[in-house]
Amino acid sequence: MWRLSYRFAVLFVILIFFLTGCGINKNQENGINDTTYKINRNVEFSYNLNNAPKFGLQAIYFINGKDGWAGGQGIILSTNDGGKNWTVEHTGSFNIIGFDFANSIYGWAISSDRSILKTTDGGKTWIELPKMNVNIENIKFVTVDRGYGTHEGKLYITNDGGQTWESINTKIKIDSYDFVDQYHGFASYNNSIYYTRDGGISWNFVYNPYLQGQWTVEIYALDVNNIWAVYRGKWTSAEEQPYLVLKTSDGGKNWTALAEEKNFSSFYGSHKTNNFLGSYLSSIDIVDKETAFAIGLNPKNDSDKFLISRTTDGGNTWSSYPVPQFDLESIIEGPIPMTFVDTYNGWIASTKNGNGLILNTLDGGQTWQQQYPIRKDNNQKNIEYVNPIIIDALKDIESNAIIKIYAPTVVPLPEDKKNMYVTAVPEMGKFNDSYNVDLIISDKTYDLKNTKIDSANIDANDILGDFGGFLFASDIDAENYVNAIRQNNGFIVDKQSQKLDYKDFIWGEVYQGKGKYSVQWREGRWTVEVNSPDKPQIDLAKQMVKYLQNYNLPVPLNKGLIVVNVSKNKTTTNIYWTKESSVYYINYNFKPVDALQMAVSMKEN
């Protein structure tokens, strides 16, 4: 996930067209504290960041699924529970426009008034670093001591955590840049992309797309081979701005076009793609080699003025979703930053009606819930549920149940079924001591009041899975039930087992026997196993462990069990855990990480 990017100039350009509907002359005066744009109709609009609303938010950053920070005019907020609760950590006469964290302890907050604030305790306290004679912008720290920044095309470096900065004499001006580590980085100048191996002292030409006109460029380097570049035209029409998103996977030898604004095809030369992310590309966030998100704006489209798009295949295809909580007022009052930590979990922040606003998604941008300020609805519990299908399904059973009802707030859909519907089919046990909710995928919605669905007759490919619970006579009985499932599935202990000790947080054992391989490890009170008939599924286990490093599963009273069975035709994930004298479960028939997301999102109804 990328730490810090400044997109104010682009957002201000967008802002003008929302207000005036006019094109912009190529002559425009840019400044951070006070920006004035000259409009074709000789109308001027001035936006002063220092006059933004008192608690407007202009920056947000999460380092994992728990620890995050948001900032704006005179305020820094922090959370350590994924945004469920936000705390005011620092106030002052500053205007935070970006964050950069080397880890969850050491971080920097950048203000528009040339000041840099630093924390060495995870944001509990912030100190203002000495100001420079120049305004250091676009900072990126590669260690807790070493960082880079720019000012008017010059590259600056610090080796003491931002206390002092020195300029580096480079043969090129630096329009934008990104560093992979202390030595390797990429930069843009005059539409070309350059590469350094010595920390920015020397730069070698890598690529020029040879586009028509003048462009600004943003560089995102995942590593020395995987780099994304976003080109934006410095001119616009009434309600569009040209942009082109490019990517390389071999260090710059070959580039692929991923998305473009469709009305300016003649400017893109040989770079063609059918992916469209909006009439304006407001911001982009690259999570990993396969996953990225983009905020797009469509002033002419009444229903989808604000879209967030997601790719999970390296930019080849994108899915777009509206964000109904945001409108043009959100854009007018300030820039909209976003931060994602994986394929599903992300946050966007802005200012609306004079107040800071933070939204969170748990399903990759399909649905959003407000985290800050806390909503004052009459039924706050239901507000937590971002999936209304589950709410409606549980209404029919919760009033009669003697078992406590738990349900996921998120039900992920497989990528190839994103445009389909989910129907939740509830069923209460005979003595109201158990319940089950089947999740059915269909190309149309079902009215359960008028249509009876027999899950047994549904095609297996259209069954997403199910969830539910059983109430037992005692805690011991509930624990024994999970133990029986564990023993029946079978931890295979034999002479051919081998210990795992991987850098990617995998520790456990691989067992072979009874016609299958099993990768097994523990997560607190949870036991996890991934089974396959062909080979140990180490990569899949790594994906699951990586997800569980950032997100907490439900805490079992005694034990929890996750069993993944991989076959040539199907992958199933079965999750069980104890809660008092009950056992709750989730069965999911597609990606195991999606099943984990459902489990993480479980809440009492």
Side-chain angles (χ1 to χ4, degrees), residues 268-343:
Y268 305 136
S270 61
H271 309 286
K272 302 297 181 184
T273 170
N274 293 324
N275 295 322
F276 173 71
L277 305 179
S279 297
Y280 293 92
L281 180 58
S282 172
S283 56
I284 193 166
D285 186 32
I286 318 297
V287 180
D288 53 39
K289 294 178 183 178
E290 302 298 327
T291 308
F293 293 83
I295 292 178
L297 308 171
N298 297 298
K300 292 190 293 186
N301 191 325
D302 291 334
S303 60
D304 294 329
K305 288 185 181 297
F306 189 104
L307 287 178
I308 189 156
S309 299
R310 175 179 68 162
T311 179
T312 57
D313 60 7
N316 294 321
T317 60
W318 298 76
S319 300
S320 297
Y321 314 103
V323 183
Q325 292 93 333
F326 279 172
D327 52 28
L328 297 189
E329 287 298 321
S330 306
I331 310 296
I332 290 172
E333 294 193 33
I336 298 182
M338 67 172 166
T339 176
F340 276 81
V341 295
D342 57 32
T343 307

Side-chain angles (χ1 to χ4, degrees), residues 17-67:
F17 286 103
F18 290 157
L19 294 178
T20 66
C22 302
I24 291 183
N25 289 333
K26 294 182 179 179
N27 297 321
Q28 51 187 22
E29 302 169 12
N30 295 322
I32 291 184
N33 289 331
D34 195 359
T35 302
T36 302
Y37 291 97
K38 294 185 177 181
I39 313 303
N40 285 342
R41 295 178 182 173
N42 298 318
V43 177
E44 288 192 1
F45 173 81
S46 180
Y47 182 80
N48 190 317
L49 290 179
N50 290 328
N51 292 332
K54 177 61 177 177
F55 291 114
L57 296 176
Q58 301 176 58
I60 191 165
Y61 175 72
F62 273 74
I63 197 168
N64 52 44
K66 303 172 187 176
D67 303 309

Side-chain angles (χ1 to χ4, degrees), residues 497-542:
S497 65
Q498 65 182 63
K499 292 284 186 181
L500 296 178
D501 185 16
Y502 288 88
K503 296 179 181 179
D504 299 67
F505 308 108
I506 296 279
W507 51 88
E509 296 182 85
V510 172
Y511 301 99
Q512 181 182 4
K514 297 183 181 180
K516 67 178 179 180
Y517 292 86
S518 184
V519 182
Q520 302 172 359
W521 72 95
R522 297 188 183 278
E523 295 277 349
R525 296 179 183 176
W526 285 83
T527 300
V528 189
E529 61 180 64
V530 181
N531 305 313
S532 172
D534 301 323
K535 63 180 180 179
Q537 295 290 323
I538 303 296
D539 289 339
L540 176 56
K542 288 181 180 180

Side-chain angles (χ1 to χ4, degrees), residues 381 384-385 404-407 579 601-605:
K381 184 175 291 186
E384 295 176 354
Y385 283 86
K404 290 182 179 179
I405 304 294
Y406 281 81
K579 185 75 172 179
S601 73
M602 292 292 287
K603 295 181 184 295
E604 181 181 358
N605 194 48

Side-chain angles (χ1 to χ4, degrees), residues 110-122:
I110 299 86
S111 176
S112 61
D113 65 351
R114 298 192 305 177
S115 61
I116 301 174
L117 287 75
K118 181 180 179 180
T119 180
T120 57
D121 56 9

Side-chain angles (χ1 to χ4, degrees), residues 119 142 203 228 261 285 310 317 341 369 400 419 471 509:
T119 180
V142 293
W203 295 86
W228 291 51
E261 209 293 317
D285 186 32
R310 175 179 68 162
T317 60
V341 295
Q369 59 183 356
N400 297 319
N419 295 324
L471 177 64
E509 296 182 85

